[in-house]
Structure formats: C-alpha cells, structure tokens
Amino acid sequence: TSASSFGFPEISIHNTTAWNKNFRDDDHVIGVMFAGKDKRGRDDAVFIGINAYWERCPVELPGLSPEYDWNIDFYTNAPHKKSTDYNKLIQRQWNLLTLEPRSVVVASLKKRGS
C-alpha cells in the first residue's frame, strides 16, 4: 500500500489523544491506525481503539479533511446484529469517542454523503 493523500503514515500509534504516542504507566487506551490506498487507488484508513480500563475512557480519532468522516464499523459494547448501526450506539462528539470499560472500536474512512 502507499501512503494516503492525507499524509498519514501507513501505521501509527495513538493514546487517548490522536497522534500522541507518548504513553505513561497509567494510560488505559491505545489506538492503532492503518492508512494507505485501496485497490482502486482511493484513500483508505482503519482505526482500532482499545480501552483496557475498567472505567469509561475517551479516544480521539485522527482528524480528516472535510469530505471524509469516520464510520464506526464495530463496537464490542453494542449488540451484534447484521443491521446494527454502531454509529448510533457509541457516545461520540465529532472525533472524540467515549469507550465503555474493556471495549474495542473499529472505525474506517468514509466519504461524506456515501
């Protein structure tokens, strides 16, 4: 894969704040993002956020250009049915998600309006 046009590296590590990879002993959240191009040459990215703590914790998704947004593809704290819309089941304010205790979220790049 090649780097995305956002300038994101192919693999990046984040804590509760996007792009902050400086971890302390008491940090409870880790995010990993994979970015590049899909088979058609379009920008593509996947973010995996993990809350290993027994309390709710925030995680900030990396910012995107205005024509893109993050789509929540999976969230372990939500019921799992084929029709589940995880975007409606996770507490979210712009790029800031609140992860429930011991939960994982998977988000992918989505073009707005699609």
Side-chain angles (χ1 to χ4, degrees):
T1 63
S2 59
S4 71
S5 62
F6 298 118
F8 293 165
E10 288 184 6
I11 300 173
S12 55
I13 307 294
H14 312 259
N15 63 19
T16 57
T17 305
W19 303 110
N20 187 349
K21 59 182 178 181
N22 298 317
F23 289 89
R24 300 182 321 240
D25 290 343
D26 60 347
D27 281 335
H28 307 294
V29 174
I30 186 168
V32 180
M33 183 174 66
F34 303 92
K37 303 277 186 182
D38 67 13
K39 291 180 182 179
R40 296 182 183 161
R42 298 176 299 195
D43 288 320
D44 198 13
V46 174
F47 182 92
I48 302 167
I50 303 164
N51 177 8
Y53 199 45
W54 63 78
E55 294 181 10
R56 300 169 96 198
C57 288
V59 62
E60 180 185 21
L61 298 168
L64 301 170
S65 60
E67 68 268 17
Y68 289 96
D69 196 6
W70 288 106
N71 182 63
I72 307 303
D73 297 310
F74 188 75
Y75 182 44
T76 60
N77 199 60
H80 307 296
K81 297 178 184 170
K82 193 172 189 174
S83 62
T84 300
D85 183 353
Y86 297 102
N87 293 284
K88 294 179 180 177
L89 299 174
I90 190 168
Q91 187 176 348
R92 179 176 183 178
Q93 190 172 28
W94 297 283
N95 283 348
L96 188 65
L97 307 177
T98 300
L99 299 183
E100 293 299 323
R102 312 274 195 232
S103 64
V104 176
V105 67
V106 178
S108 63
L109 194 64
K110 174 182 150 189
K111 193 138 182 136
R112 288 187 192 268
S114 61

